[in-house]
Structures are given as structure tokens and as C-alpha cells.
């Protein structure tokens, strides 16, 4: 339980920055989505206003044209006033109707609030045949449309501003903070300014359709919109992304729960240490060499297997550092009649940032041994590049220096007969999975004999790994496999323990 809690704490420690970053990015994404929604909504509303204004203007012009054929504008009596009143009641565009002529003067219904003085001012301020204006001085503001029927004769439609707004705008729009100007034939029809103070953020739009143009300066309310989007969509989405994405990123940066930071800390605490396992002459049971391995004893997680941290080191190019750390702890301890076997990956043999041969020869100096006392085991985790001239040159240089070459875990990876012919190793190490088929019914049993026969035919030495029983030892000896390695002879031990046991 303690290890699980500690591991959870490590995941949180490595992932909280990603969690915060994803929350910020999610909030920005939701903000942009809300802003885009507000912008699209404003465009839609503005288009609706322009189309409504265009439709209203067509209806208003049509009603004035129809009224011009129903009344006689050269007289103003009760019948004429009654006709104007009834026409206004039927109208879908105006609240009041009137006309002005040289013969009848200004003729209107009794409840029509429009003064003739405003009509004169409007006629003087614009050119006909259509005049549009707004009378805000009246108790009830209204919009005025004047159409010229003939020289000196005008038909007048009056709409209360509040009714005009109901026809043009939705109730929701009327509650927004905006500066809006509506023009018909470049004449101002309506103007609104409901913005308070100096807003920090505004959205400006202009839209023209036909003879109608709308200019708007809109003050959005993004906090309210973002809050609603956050509550409805954002919180579940951000929590999902905030938990899953950091977990995925942390997982990709680790291997079986081991992080690169753990490796750096392990070096400083000397938690990673070398162990040696003897490679023996099975006939005499005397060591002829030792394989250098790494072990990691973590103070909280306990022993961490090489299968866990070696791939992590290989991914981040830390295998060279591991070799240097291990060799520094076993230097000048190897018996003079034995060799030391170390594991190298194909990447280490083709490293472009350093000379691989010089690096390996430097290891022999660090160990205090001759090149003839070193054997390189090339791991089977990845295929060797047959067409890489630098790899061939490196292996040739190492063999000329006296260093032995072996293919580790032969038969389980990528390297086969063609690799044996091209690189001509001194040894192949038979993987323990084949050794364990001895005296069993496993289908790999015949493969072991085939590998032994192949190596003997090609003149390549054999080292059998994973020998754990006397029966396996005798079987391999009967087929000429003298060099063996496994728990039957010794488990991997620290250098002091293994040499003390041999003494």
C-alpha cells in the first residue's frame, strides 16, 4: 500500500505541470469557442435586423402607396380624418397616418402627436421623394416616413419607436449593450446607444443588404457566456483531459513506472550497482569469465529488474553512462586469467557523437584489463544494420585489438545466419529459453540442437545461458558445449561476494 501511494505521488509530481497546462489550454479553447459563438451570433442577429428593416421598409412604402389611392389629399374634413384613423388601425407599419397639401394643409387624426413644425424641418433637411426621420422631442418618440405624391402634396406615416423596435428586433437584442445605426437609402432610420461608460472590449460589424445598411458596435458579455459553457461542457471536458492527457504523457516518459529523474537520482545515491555472474568451464566448474550486469535497489520500490530500467536507459541514450558507472566500481578486480563480458546495443556500436571503438578501449583502461580480457555481447533487442559501414569498421577494429565478440540471446531476436556470416562473432550465447527445453516436451527442443550444430559448423564458440540443473549441464557437455552460465554455478553477485566465495 505504501509503495502504491508513493508511486501515485510520483505520477502526480511528474504530471501536475501538464495538468495545469491542459486546464489553461482547455480554458483558452472554451474561451475561443465562446467568442466564436458570440461573433457568429452577432452576425446572425445583424443579418436578421437588416432583413427585418428591409421588409419593414417595403411594407411601409406599400401601405403609403395604397393609401394614396384611397384618399383625396385636397380636402381635410371628418371623413378624411376617419379614413386616416381606419387606415392606421389596419396598418402593419404605422401607428398614425396624415397628409400635407397646399389645398388642405396638414390633415391628421385627433390622436396623431406629430407636429407640422417637425414635418417642415424634415422636408427642409433632406431631398425627396422619400423622407425618413426620428422625432425624439415628443413625449412618445416616433419615426416618420414622408412620401411625395405630387409637388406640394405629401403622405405621412408615423410609427412609435417602441413599436418599430418590436417589429425589427427581438426582445433579447433590446437588452444588449450596443451602438446601432440603421440606414435606408443612406438616410438614418434609427439610432441606438445603450453602452454605459467606456467598455474594454467591443465587436464592430457593418452589413449592407439592398438599400439597407446596419452599423453596430457591440459590447459582448464573454464572462457570462464562458461561465455557462464552462459549467455545461467545460468542467467535464477539462477534468477528462486534465486526468487522461497527463497520465498518457507521464506514461510515455516512463517505462514500467520508472522515470528518467529516478535514474539520475539513483546514480547520485549509488542505488545502481554492478553484479557479476561467472561463465564457467562446465567440465572443471572453474570460471573462465564473468558477465557484468546492473542491479538497482530502490529504497521505496525495492529491487527494480533490468528489464524495467535498461529499456529506459536505451531510450534516452544513457547506456554509456551506465557502463561507465559499473566499470568504475569493478576496476582492477578481475582475475588475470578471466575475461569480462559486457552488453552493448547496436546503437552504442554506431553512436555518431563519439567513436565507439575508442569508447570501448577506454573502458578496458578504466577496468585495468587487457583488450583480450574483454568480450562484447551484442544484444538482440534490435537488428544489426548490415549496410552500415561504420558498424563493420568498428567491429573489425575491436577484433583486431583482441576484443572478443558474442551475440547475446541468439535465436530470440533479429540476428540470424546471415549475421553470423557477415560479422563472424567469436561466440554465440544460447538463450535460456532453449536450455530449459532440455528433457522437456517443448517444441523448441530440436532448435537447440540445430543451433549447436550450426555454431560448430561455422567454427563459432558457444556459451549456454540459464543452466540450472545437472541434467542440463550433462546434456550440453555431451554436445560439446563446455562454456556455461547459470544458477547451477552461481547467481549474479556483487564483486566482493563472488571473489570472496571463490577464494
Amino acid at each position: 500500500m505504501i509503495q502504491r501511494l508513493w508511486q501515485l505521488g510520483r505520477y502526480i509530481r511528474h504530471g501536475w505541470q501538464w495538468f495545469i497546462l491542459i486546464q489553461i489550454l482547455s480554458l483558452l479553447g472554451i474561451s475561443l469557442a465562446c467568442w466564436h459563438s458570440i461573433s457568429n451570433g452577432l452576425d446572425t442577429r445583424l443579418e436578421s435586423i437588416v432583413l427585418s428593416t428591409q421588409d419593414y421598409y417595403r411594407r411601409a412604402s406599400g401601405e403609403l402607396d395604397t393609401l394614396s389611392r384611397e384618399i383625396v389629399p385636397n380636402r381635410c374634413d371628418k371623413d378624411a380624418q376617419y379614413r386616416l384613423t381606419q387606415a392606421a388601425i389596419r396598418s402593419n407599419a404605422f401607428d398614425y397616418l396624415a397628409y400635407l397639401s397646399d389645398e388642405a394643409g396638414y390633415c391628421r387624426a385627433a390622436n396623431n402627436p406629430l407636429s407640422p413644425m417637425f414635418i417642415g424641418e424634415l422636408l427642409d433637411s433632406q431631398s425627396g421623394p422619400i423622407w425618413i426621420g426620428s422625432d425624439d422631442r415628443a413625449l412618445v418618440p416616433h419615426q416618420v416616413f414622408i412620401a411625395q405624391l405630387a409637388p406640394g402634396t405629401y403622405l405621412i406615416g408615423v410609427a412609435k419607436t417602441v413599436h418599430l423596435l418590436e417589429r425589427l428586433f427581438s426582445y433579447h437584442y433590446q437588452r444588449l449593450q450596443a451602438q446601432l445605426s440603421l440606414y435606408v437609402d443612406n438616410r438614418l432610420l434609427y439610432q441606438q446607444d445603450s453602452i454605459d461608460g467606456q467598455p474594454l472590449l467591443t465587436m464592430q460589424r457593418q452589413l449592407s443588404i439592398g438599400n439597407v445598411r446596419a452599423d453596430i458596435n457591440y459590447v459582448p458579455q464573454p464572462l457570462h457566456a464562458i461561465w455557462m459553457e464552462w459549467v455545461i461542457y467545460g468542467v467535464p471536458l477539462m477534468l477528462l483531459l486534465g486526468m487522461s492527457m497527463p497520465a498518457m504523457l507521464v506514461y510515455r516518459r516512463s517505462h514500467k513506472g520508472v522515470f528518467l529523474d529516478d535514474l539520475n537520482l539513483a546514480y547520485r545515491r549509488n542505488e545502481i550497482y554492478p553484479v557479476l555472474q561467472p561463465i564457467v568451464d562446465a567440465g572443471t566448474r572453474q570460471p573462465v569469465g564473468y558477465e557484468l550486469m546492473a542491479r538497482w535497489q530502490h529504497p521505496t520500490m525495492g529491487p527494480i529488474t533490468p528489464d524495467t530500467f535498461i529499456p529506459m536507459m536505451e531510450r534516452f541514450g544513457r547506456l554509456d553512462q551506465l557502463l561507465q558507472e559499473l566499470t568504475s566500481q569493478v576496476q582492477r578486480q578481475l582475475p588475470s586469467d578471466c575475461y569480462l563480458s559486457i552488453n552493448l546495443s547496436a546503437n552504442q556500436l554506431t553512436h555518431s557523437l563519439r567513436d565507439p571503438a575508442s569508447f570501448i578501449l577506454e573502458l578496458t583502461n578504466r577496468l585495468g584489463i587487457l583488450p583480450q580480457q574483454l568480450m562484447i555481447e551484442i544484444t538482440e533487442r534490435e537488428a544489426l544494420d548490415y549496410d552500415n559501414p561504420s558498424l563493420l569498421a568498428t567491429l573489425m577494429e575491436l577484433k583486431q585489438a583482441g576484443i572478443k565478440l558474442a551475440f547475446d540471446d541468439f535465436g530470440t531476436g533479429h540476428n540470424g545466419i546471415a549475421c553470423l556470416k557477415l560479422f563472424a562473432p567469436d561466440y554465440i550465447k544460447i538463450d535460456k529459453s532453449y536450455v530449459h527445453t532440455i528433457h522437456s516436451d517443448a517444441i523448441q527442443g530440436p532448435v537447440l540442437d540445430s543451433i549447436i550444430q550450426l555454431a560448430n559448423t561455422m567454427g563459432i564458440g558457444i556459451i549456454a545461458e540459464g543452466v540450472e540443473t545437472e541434467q542440463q549441464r550433462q546434456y550440453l557437455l555431451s554436445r560439446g558445449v563446455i562454456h556455461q552460465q547459470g544458477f547451477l554455478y552461481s547467481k549474479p553477485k556483487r564483486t566482493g561476494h563472488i571473489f570472496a566465495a571463490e577464494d
Side-chain angles (χ1 to χ4, degrees), residues 380-381 409-416:
E380 288 263 284
R381 285 190 294 269
D409 301 329
F410 185 79
T412 63
H414 300 85
N415 303 319

Side-chain angles (χ1 to χ4, degrees), residues 328-462:
S328 65
Q329 297 183 48
V330 297
Q331 58 185 354
R332 307 188 186 283
Q333 299 184 37
L334 188 71
S336 59
D337 57 344
C338 295
Y339 64 84
L340 183 69
S341 181
I342 61 175
N343 289 274
L344 289 175
S345 67
N347 283 335
Q348 288 177 282
L349 293 170
T350 57
H351 204 298
S352 60
L353 299 180
R354 53 145 174 81
D355 179 35
S358 299
F359 170 76
I360 294 170
L361 291 173
E362 175 61 29
L363 289 180
T364 62
N365 295 330
R366 183 190 295 266
L367 289 164
I369 62 176
L370 299 173
Q372 292 78 8
Q373 290 180 274
L374 184 67
M375 183 168 73
I376 296 174
E377 296 184 19
I378 302 178
T379 59
E380 288 263 284
R381 285 190 294 269
E382 57 191 42
L384 294 175
D385 187 359
Y386 297 172
D387 299 324
N388 191 334
S390 63
L391 175 60
L392 291 172
T394 297
L395 295 179
M396 183 63 67
E397 184 177 352
L398 293 175
K399 295 188 73 171
Q400 289 176 351
I403 296 175
K404 291 180 283 291
L405 175 64
F407 284 169
D408 193 18
D409 301 329
F410 185 79
T412 63
H414 300 85
N415 303 319
I417 298 176
C419 189
L420 296 180
K421 291 181 178 179
L422 181 63
F423 297 106
D426 299 287
Y427 291 92
I428 60 172
K429 298 190 73 173
I430 300 177
D431 187 69
K432 63 182 180 181
S433 62
Y434 295 110
V435 174
H436 293 172
T437 63
I438 297 174
H439 299 307
S440 70
D441 297 330
I443 60 175
Q444 299 100 324
V447 178
L448 173 61
D449 291 336
S450 300
I451 294 176
I452 295 174
Q453 184 178 359
L454 173 65
N456 290 332
T457 302
M458 300 184 69
I460 300 174
I462 302 173

Side-chain angles (χ1 to χ4, degrees), residues 10-19 245-264 308 311-313 315-316:
R10 292 170 68 248
Y11 271 96
I12 294 175
R13 186 174 73 250
H14 285 87
W16 71 267
Q17 301 97 328
W18 292 106
F19 179 82
M245 292 290 288
M248 292 175 59
L249 291 169
V250 168
Y251 176 78
R252 289 186 62 86
R253 293 174 58 195
S254 67
H255 183 79
K256 297 182 180 181
V258 176
F259 296 88
L260 187 60
D261 293 345
D262 297 326
L263 295 175
N264 297 331
T308 299
M312 186 75 172
M313 292 182 169
R315 184 199 303 180
F316 291 99

Side-chain angles (χ1 to χ4, degrees), residues 78 84 130 148 165 236 260 269 300 303 311 313 328 421 427:
K78 291 184 178 181
L84 291 172
I130 297 293
Q148 186 176 26
L165 297 182
L260 187 60
R269 293 177 175 177
T300 305
M313 292 182 169
S328 65
K421 291 181 178 179
Y427 291 92

